[in-house]
Amino acid sequence: MTDIPVYQNFINGEFAPTPKNTIDVHNPANGNLLSRVPESETGEVEHAIAAAKAAQTGWAAKPAIERAGYLRKIATKIRENADELAKVITLEQGKILSLARVEVDFTADYLDYMAEWARRIEGEIITSDRVGENIFLFRKPVGVVAGILPWNFPFFLIARKMAPALITGNTIVIKPSEETPNNCFEFTKLVAETDLPPGVFNVVCGSGAQVGSTLTSHAGIDLISFTGSVETGARIMAAAAPNITKLNLELGGKAPAIVLADADIDLAVTAIKNSRVINSGQVCNCAERVYVDASVADQFIDKITKAMAMTTYGDPIARPDVDMGPLVNRIGLDKVAAMVETARAAGGTITTGGKIAELGQGFHYQPTVIADCRSDMEIMRKEVFGAVLPIQVVSGLDEAITCANASEYGLTSSIFTKNLSFALQAVNQLNFGETYVNRENFEAMQGYHAGVRKSGIGGADGKHGLYEYTHTHVAYIQT
Ligand code: TXE
C-alpha cells in the first residue's frame, strides 16, 4: 500500500509541523483516499494572519515591478509542472484532464497578466478649488487579504485572489476548500521554491466552520475575498460585520440563455451544451436555464436533447476520453438528484437523463434536459451544480428578458440571435453582471467577472478586479 501524503500549512515562508487534526481527501470518481490535510487550530490561523501582517509593509514598499517578478517566477514553475498539477486537480475534483490542463495553463497566464499591471497601476490628480493646491488620489493596498476558495476551479482561484492582491502590495492568507486542497498545497510547494519573502503568501487549511469563520471574524483581516455559495457568503458578511471588514464576494448564479427565433440553432445548441457540461455542470457562470422562442422550441429541444444524450461520462483518469467526470461529492450528487425529482413532480418533462448514473462508483449524474419548465419551478430559480438543463418556452425577447431578470441571482446571461438590435436590447435590459452573445459562457481575464443581487459584491479580473484590492487615499497638498 502506498503512503497517503499528509500536507502541511504554509505560514511565514515555512511548512508548519505535521498537523494534529486532519481531514481526509477522497477521489470523487472512485472514493479512494488521496491525502490528509490540516484541520487547522485557531492559533495557526492567527499565526498566519500575524505573519501576513508583519510582511505587508515591507512587501508594499517594494517597487511593483519587483512584486511582478515573483508572480512571473511562480507562473514559470506552474508551466514546468503543468501535467502533474492537472492530474492532482482531476484526482481530487473530478474534472476531465484536458480541462484541468486548461485550468493550470490559464492560472499561469493569469499570474503573468496580473504581473503586467505593475507599471499600469495609476492614481489621479484632480483640479482643486483652491489656489496653489493639488488633489492627489493614491491607490494603496488594503493590507491583509483572506482568500477563501471553492472547489470547482480550485487552482485558478488561488491565482485569481493572490495575483491582484500581491501585485497591489497586499499579503494574503489562503484557505482552500477542504474538498480540493491538494492542488493548493502543490501550488504552495512551487511558491516555496521561490524567494518570495516570508509571510507574503500563507496557506491554512480546514473546514469552513472552524478555519473559515476564524479568518472572516478576525480583526487582522482587511479584505475577505470569497467565492462560494450564497448561504456561506451571508455567514461571512455576518462574521465580517463587527470589524466592518471589506468584502469581495462571488456567490454563483443561475445564468439564463435566451434563444430567439432567428438564432443559429446549431450554434446555440453547441454553445449551451458545452456550457452546461463543462466541469460536470459545476460552474457559476454557465448556462443554467433556457428561454427559447416558441417558434423554434421543438427544434432546439430535439437537438439539445440529442447533444446532451451523447455526452459521455466516467472516471476521468481511467477513461481520459470522457466529456465529464463525477460531481465533487455525495452532497452535490444528492442535491442535483433531488432538484431533478422536484422538477419532474412539478410537471417538467425529462427528455434525456434524469437519474444518478449506475457506474458502480463515483458521484456521476446523467446529463439531463428538462422541458416544459415554468418560472415558478425551483429548477428555474435555484442554482443546480450538475449537467442539468431546464427549458422554458417563451414568446419573444421581452418575455425572455422579464423571466431572466426575475431571479435572485445576477451573474451571467447569454443570448443567441442574428439581430444586433435584439442583442443590444438584451444587453441593455438584462440585469446581470455579464452577457455573452452567440457564444458559450466563459470569461476573459481582462474582462470583469461580477454579479448583481445575490450573486455577490464586487468582482474579479481586469483593471476593475485589480482595483478591488486597493483603497483610495486622497491627499490635499497646499503649496
Ligand atoms: O460551498 P461553500 P459548498 C454553490 C453551488 C454548490 C453550493 C454548495 O451551488 O452546490 O454552493 O457548495 C468555505 N466561513 N457554489 O458547500 O460552503 C468552505 O470551507 C468561512 C458556487 O462547497 O460556500 C469553502 O472553502 N468560510 C460556487 C468555501 O467556503 C466558509 C463555488 C466554499 O464553500 C464557511 C462553490 C464559513 N462559515 C459552490 N463555511 C461559485 N460561486 O462558483 C464554508 N466556508
Side-chain angles (χ1 to χ4, degrees):
M1 207 179 103
T2 52
D3 282 343
I4 301 298
V6 180
Y7 286 106
Q8 291 146 290
N9 287 333
F10 186 70
I11 301 175
N12 205 24
E14 290 178 348
F15 285 100
T18 306
K20 274 192 233 140
N21 302 313
T22 56
I23 299 172
D24 290 350
V25 181
H26 294 98
N27 180 342
N30 56 26
N32 289 349
L33 180 64
L34 294 171
S35 71
R36 296 200 162 90
V37 297
E39 172 65 293
S40 307
E41 291 172 18
T42 303
E44 283 177 281
V45 181
E46 288 173 346
H47 181 195
I49 296 169
K53 189 106 196 147
Q56 198 266 321
T57 313
W59 177 247
K62 287 183 186 298
I65 196 70
E66 240 181 79
R67 296 198 294 269
Y70 293 104
L71 297 185
R72 290 205 170 93
K73 278 185 206 170
I74 298 164
T76 302
K77 287 193 173 289
I78 288 172
R79 291 195 183 95
E80 287 166 1
N81 294 278
D83 286 335
E84 298 80 358
L85 291 166
K87 192 166 176 202
V88 171
I89 297 171
T90 291
L91 280 170
E92 64 183 331
Q93 199 270 339
K95 66 178 49 133
I96 56 174
L97 265 173
S98 55
L99 180 60
R101 184 56 202 254
V102 168
E103 181 173 350
V104 170
D105 293 344
F106 197 81
T107 302
D109 290 351
Y110 197 90
L111 288 161
D112 278 342
Y113 166 73
M114 281 295 168
E116 285 171 22
W117 277 97
R119 293 195 177 98
R120 297 193 172 91
I121 299 166
E122 294 177 346
E124 292 172 30
I125 304 169
I126 300 168
T127 315
S128 170
D129 295 347
R130 296 165 63 132
V131 176
E133 182 182 71
N134 287 295
I135 303 174
F136 285 69
L137 297 187
F138 296 91
R139 292 217 177 256
K140 296 199 170 168
V142 289
V144 177
V145 176
I148 301 184
L149 311 184
W151 43 261
N152 53 350
F153 288 93
F155 194 73
F156 167 55
L157 264 289
I158 307 170
R160 198 181 227 175
K161 301 196 185 299
M162 166 209 197
L166 265 52
I167 196 67
T168 48
N170 304 279
T171 54
I172 196 162
V173 180
I174 292 278
K175 189 197 93 60
S177 166
E178 57 274 45
E179 299 291 339
T180 54
N182 296 350
N183 69 84
C184 183
F185 287 111
E186 295 300 330
F187 181 107
T188 305
K189 284 185 195 167
L190 301 178
V191 173
E193 286 171 15
T194 71
D195 52 352
L196 186 75
V200 170
F201 175 83
N202 308 274
V203 175
V204 283
C205 187
S207 63
Q210 188 162 317
V211 175
S213 56
T214 304
L215 269 175
T216 52
S217 59
H218 199 286
I221 296 294
D222 302 293
L223 167 66
I224 300 164
S225 179
F226 168 73
T227 304
S229 63
V230 171
E231 295 73 21
T232 298
R235 267 182 225 119
I236 288 175
M237 284 183 88
N243 296 313
I244 321 288
T245 309
K246 185 176 175 182
L247 294 166
N248 178 286
L249 306 175
E250 200 270 72
L251 307 178
K254 184 73 189 171
I258 297 173
V259 181
L260 294 187
D262 71 341
D264 178 334
I265 296 296
D266 289 331
L267 171 79
V269 165
T270 304
I272 294 171
K273 190 271 290 180
N274 288 346
S275 186
R276 196 66 284 236
V277 158
I278 187 172
N279 207 15
S280 310
Q282 304 165 113
V283 189
C284 58
N285 75 350
C286 283
E288 273 207 36
R289 50 186 167 130
V290 173
Y291 299 101
V292 60
D293 189 84
S295 61
V296 289
D298 287 349
Q299 187 192 355
F300 175 81
I301 292 167
D302 181 52
K303 287 188 171 184
I304 196 119
T305 297
K306 287 184 178 130
M308 289 288 274
M310 280 168 61
T311 300
T312 56
Y313 51 87
D315 180 335
I317 298 285
R319 289 189 53 202
D321 58 319
V322 292
D323 300 318
M324 291 196 319
L327 298 180
V328 74
N329 57 24
R330 164 62 60 185
I331 295 171
L333 180 67
D334 289 345
K335 200 166 145 189
V336 170
M339 287 181 80
V340 173
E341 277 321 305
T342 303
R344 197 197 306 260
T349 305
I350 314 285
T351 63
T352 187
K355 290 198 188 85
I356 290 176
E358 304 289 343
L359 296 188
Q361 57 181 9
F363 306 122
H364 301 273
Y365 197 83
Q366 295 174 340
T368 298
V369 176
I370 312 177
D372 301 320
C373 291
R374 303 176 313 273
S375 291
D376 62 307
M377 288 164 66
E378 178 200 52
I379 201 82
M380 294 299 281
R381 308 185 77 82
K382 295 283 173 201
E383 185 166 58
V384 54
F385 251 34
V388 173
L389 190 68
I391 302 174
Q392 179 170 344
V393 178
V394 292
S395 297
L397 179 57
D398 290 340
E399 187 186 349
I401 291 174
T402 303
C403 291
N405 282 340
S407 171
E408 63 181 17
Y409 291 101
L411 189 56
T412 68
S413 51
S414 63
I415 179 162
F416 294 85
T417 176
K418 290 183 190 137
N419 184 319
L420 186 59
S421 299
F422 289 155
L424 284 174
Q425 184 188 337
V427 170
N428 286 328
Q429 294 180 357
L430 282 169
N431 190 14
F432 286 77
E434 298 172 29
T435 302
Y436 298 90
V437 179
N438 293 326
R439 54 160 286 192
E440 81 290 359
N441 306 7
F442 201 83
E443 64 265 28
M445 63 183 78
Q446 66 272 42
Y448 184 55
H449 179 60
V452 297
R453 297 188 288 270
K454 286 190 183 172
S455 288
I457 296 173
D461 309 336
K463 178 171 77 176
H464 299 282
L466 179 83
Y467 286 158
E468 301 254 333
Y469 289 81
T470 64
H471 79 92
T472 305
H473 182 169
V474 58
Y476 299 91
I477 302 175
Q478 186 77 57
T479 53

